[in-house]
Structures are given as structure tokens and as C-alpha cells.
Amino acid sequence: MAQPKYITDMDKIPQIPLQEREKLKPITEKFVFRVNDYYLSLINWNDPNDPIKKLVIPNEGELLEYGRWDASDEDTNYVVPGCQHKYRTTALLLVSEVCGAYCRYCFRKRLFRNDVKEAMSDVEEGIAYIARHPEINNVLLTGGDSLILSTARLGNILSKLRAIEHVKIIRLGSKLPVFNPMRIYEDEALLDLIRTFSSADKRIYVMAHINHPREITEEAKRGFEALHRAGAIVVNQTPVLKGINDDPALLGELLDKLSWAGVTPYYFFVNRPVAGNSEFVLPLKQVYAIVEQAKALTSGLGKRVRLSMSHTSGKIEILAIENGKAYLKYHQSRDGEYGKFMVLDCPEEAAWFDDLPGNERYWHKPEKKTDAVVSVNELPELPAARRAIPS
């Protein structure tokens, strides 16, 4: 297969001026960098504010003091290494700590630290846990990117999950449909794998991460079509990001193009307050207004999307923000509070559930279920191997 070339050294990207590369190198000491030449070809290098560039090229704001490494306390969801069980019917297997490229807004930047080991190459313990819990009817393979795995490795995991009768849905979390669509439509073995394990009553879903309509190229559409023909259902989720897609017309275009390509708009997310993400933050009031204006521009198919915060306590849907009040509902709940309706004051600058006065009445900080997984929020700011060694 003619696969893209991967790049981990910004000096190999001549389109970035030398002076800018030198300024950005300290950022790659803290947050890993990786991209490929196909995705770089989507960038308009004559535009200093190009949104595709902002998605994958480091920015100086990443070094500003902001947020936490694990803003949603995912460390408390692990039941065994590599397996999270936060919501009753859903389990996550973190199968990879590698992506096709590294989005600068990534809420799991911590996985790419060399002193963190949450993703597991061997997920046998997680699969055994799922087999013992019949309430789990759907499993998400994530990381990192599930489709970065070799087809043989992915097939091994899928076959073991399909041997568990109560697992009806398998989800593949991936940005490869736009980072490297050739990986999908040129790999017949991968498509055969999906045909084998995606059936009328036990479906495979691809949870795509498409942030901007320019990512939906002819290659990407060819990848979507290959997945559809193989029997997978493709849905999309994206955060609303300052400087990238915070424009109603652009988000409306994204909703339309997804619908036209047969990709279901699934979630718009509020950007999590993760370390290094300050450049992408928008107030909740603004995010809500942008999303509602975008939905007004699209069909009912596009309007299926939900605006949500993936909070420690659950997925909190933003129903409305009006006259200084936030109207919220638990769309998913760690503690079984599904559907709980909340009305909270919403200050102009509030950008996360924790910023809303009185939020603490509705949730509590969870306890870890296993000590076998490190709590990255308790680690030093820089990964051990990257900290300066005293002379």
C-alpha cells in the first residue's frame, strides 16, 4: 500500500520557517509531535491561521499554565490495566498509545508521556473482565487510535470480543479516516475483517474524529464508502475549538458534508480543560451559540448532533444557555443519574462544568478502582526522561 510518510521532527517540515521551528521545539519536549505528509498536504501554508495547521502543529500556548493532564479523572475508571468501565453498559479498551498524528487539543495527551502506561498491547485482562460482566454490551477500542494497529492485531482483539455473546457493539475510535484514509480503502484484509465481525445484529461502529470540513477530501470519502460497504457504521464527534471550527457557517458545512457522506453527526464536545489546551478554549455561552447557529443551517440529519461535556461525573448535555443560566442534563452518568436536569448560573467566562457555581451539589470526586494504573495528575509536570538532569 502507498502509505503516507510519518514525521516526528519539525526540522523535516520545510514549510515551517526555521525561526518558528526553533520557538516550537521546547513544546515538543513536553508534548509529543507526529504528523504525516498526506495530512500536511491539506494545510494552506500561506495562511498563518490555517485551521488544519493549528490542529497538528504545536503552538506556544501549550506551555501556558492551564488545566490538568487528566481533566476527566479517567484514572478512576480503570478496573484492570488497559480497561475502563465508567458507564454500566460500556467498556473501553485502550489498545494503542499511537495516533496517525497528534492533535494539539488531544484530551489524552498524557498517554504519549514516556512515564505513563495506560494503553496496553496485551488486553487479555480487559477482555476477561468484559467476559465476566454481562451488563457490558458495547466495547470501545481506543487509545491512541485503534486503526493504527496492524490488521492482524486488530483481528485478534475483534475475534476475542465477538466470542463474548453479550458484546453486541464494537466501536473503533479513530481519526485515520481523515489522517490516513488510504490505510482503510487500500487494506482489503481490514475491510474483510469488518465484514466478518459486523453483522445485522452485532455491528461495528467507527467513531471518527473529524474537526473541519476540509478534512473531508475525496480520499476520506473513499474511505467512508469502503467502511460502509464492509458493513461498518461511521459516526463523528469533534470538540468545538477556538481558531479551528468556532464558526457557525463552517460547523454547519461540516454537519452537511458528514450527512452527505453517510457519516452520522454524533457529538459536539466542549474542549476539556487539559494541560496545553488553553489556545482552544471558548466560553460555554459562546460554544452553545455557535452550535445552535450551525444547526440552523443544516437538515434534521445534521441536527442529530448533541453538545456535551465529557466530565468526570458523566456526559453532560448542554440543552440551553439563556439569560445567565445553563440548562443541563446528564446524557450519561457515572453514578446512574441519567436524565438528571440541572439549572445553574453561567458566568460569562465559564468554560467547563466545574466553572458553574453550585456544580458541586451534583457530583463527587470518584475513588480509584485499582492502584495498578498511575494517576498522571500526581506526576511531575514534565515526563521523567525529559526533565533536565542536574550536572
Side-chain angles (χ1 to χ4, degrees):
M1 292 182 292
Q3 290 298 311
K5 176 183 175 185
Y6 283 93
I7 300 160
T8 58
D9 181 355
M10 278 192 295
D11 285 333
K12 304 274 179 67
I13 306 176
Q15 297 96 326
I16 304 176
L18 177 60
Q19 186 177 8
E20 185 179 347
R21 273 181 266 150
E22 291 300 317
K23 281 197 300 184
L24 296 179
K25 279 182 181 177
I27 299 160
T28 60
E29 289 298 306
K30 182 174 180 180
F31 300 115
V32 71
F33 170 74
R34 173 178 159 99
V35 73
N36 66 54
D37 56 2
Y38 164 77
Y39 199 76
L40 289 176
S41 74
L42 306 185
I43 295 172
N44 175 6
W45 294 99
N46 294 320
D47 179 3
N49 295 311
D50 183 77
I52 306 300
K53 177 183 176 184
K54 286 185 176 184
L55 279 167
V56 291
I57 303 299
N59 67 81
E60 292 183 84
E62 291 182 60
L63 296 182
L64 296 176
E65 186 173 331
Y66 175 78
R68 298 185 296 146
W69 283 96
D70 183 0
S72 296
D73 298 297
E74 287 196 294
D75 64 302
T76 65
N77 300 325
Y78 283 98
V79 285
V80 296
C83 179
Q84 295 183 22
H85 189 191
K86 181 176 182 177
Y87 306 127
R88 183 177 180 276
T89 61
T90 303
L92 274 64
L93 290 176
L94 278 79
V95 297
S96 172
E97 55 192 22
V98 180
C99 289
Y102 293 134
C103 300
R104 306 320 299 178
Y105 68 83
C106 180
F107 73 90
R108 287 200 184 120
K109 281 183 173 180
R110 67 186 190 277
L111 293 191
F112 313 123
R113 289 177 57 137
N114 57 5
D115 54 354
V116 170
K117 187 62 179 174
E118 293 184 34
M120 305 294 291
S121 57
D122 182 356
V123 292
E124 292 296 324
E125 200 174 351
I127 291 173
Y129 174 88
I130 292 165
R132 295 194 303 270
H133 287 263
E135 72 273 18
I136 296 172
N137 60 29
N138 73 102
V139 177
L140 171 61
L141 306 186
T142 184
D145 197 305
S146 64
L147 289 180
I148 209 79
L149 298 179
S150 71
T151 300
R153 175 69 186 131
L154 183 61
N156 180 264
I157 297 171
L158 293 180
S159 65
K160 289 176 178 176
L161 288 173
R162 276 292 175 249
I164 303 171
E165 178 57 32
H166 56 263
V167 174
K168 305 301 183 185
I169 291 173
I170 299 172
R171 300 193 244 172
L172 306 177
S174 182
K175 196 175 167 78
L176 282 197
V178 292
F179 269 159
N180 180 6
M182 293 70 72
R183 170 2 177 184
I184 295 168
Y185 67 71
E186 292 184 356
D187 189 347
E188 282 301 325
L190 171 66
L191 298 172
D192 284 342
L193 195 65
I194 294 172
R195 288 187 192 98
T196 299
F197 293 117
S198 189
S199 64
D201 57 354
K202 287 192 171 186
R203 191 64 68 183
I204 286 178
Y205 281 70
V206 175
M207 319 302 287
H209 301 264
I210 304 164
N211 311 123
H212 194 281
R214 270 176 40 205
E215 294 177 303
I216 304 176
T217 61
E218 291 304 312
E219 291 87 354
K221 286 185 278 188
R222 186 174 170 186
F224 300 153
E225 183 64 13
L227 290 168
H228 293 151
R229 289 181 180 276
I233 295 173
V234 187
V235 306
N236 188 62
Q237 51 196 22
T238 176
V240 180
L241 302 160
K242 181 180 178 182
I244 292 176
N245 58 17
D246 57 333
D247 175 83
L250 189 146
L251 272 191
E253 180 186 356
L254 178 61
L255 292 171
D256 274 346
K257 286 189 171 180
L258 290 169
S259 299
W260 299 340
V263 177
T264 303
Y266 181 46
Y267 281 126
F268 282 145
F269 283 120
V270 174
N271 180 50
R272 302 189 204 192
V274 173
N277 279 15
S278 64
E279 289 292 298
F280 304 116
V281 176
L282 292 161
L284 294 177
K285 179 181 177 181
Q286 188 176 349
V287 175
Y288 172 73
I290 291 168
V291 167
E292 288 303 307
Q293 291 169 49
K295 286 163 66 178
L297 301 174
T298 190
S299 70
L301 295 173
K303 288 180 173 69
R304 291 177 292 179
V305 71
R306 294 175 185 266
L307 175 60
S308 176
M309 292 179 275
S310 278
H311 186 256
T312 299
S313 59
K315 284 190 173 68
I316 300 172
E317 186 177 357
I318 299 176
L319 302 174
I321 296 180
E322 299 271 343
N323 301 320
K325 297 285 186 182
Y327 300 86
L328 312 170
K329 181 179 79 171
Y330 272 111
H331 179 62
Q332 281 273 39
S333 172
R334 180 197 66 201
D335 299 322
E337 299 280 6
Y338 298 100
K340 179 180 274 295
F341 180 65
M342 298 169 281
V343 182
L344 292 167
D345 289 339
C346 185
E348 290 286 324
E349 71 281 2
W352 192 239
F353 185 55
D354 297 6
D355 299 334
L356 304 178
N359 74 85
E360 62 279 356
R361 300 196 308 270
Y362 295 99
W363 70 288
H364 62 275
K365 187 173 174 61
E367 298 292 328
K368 287 180 66 173
K369 299 171 184 173
T370 175
D371 290 325
V373 176
V374 67
S375 295
V376 69
N377 290 328
E378 298 171 8
L379 293 177
E381 183 65 16
L382 278 177
R386 296 182 185 177
R387 295 201 301 275
I389 300 173
S391 56

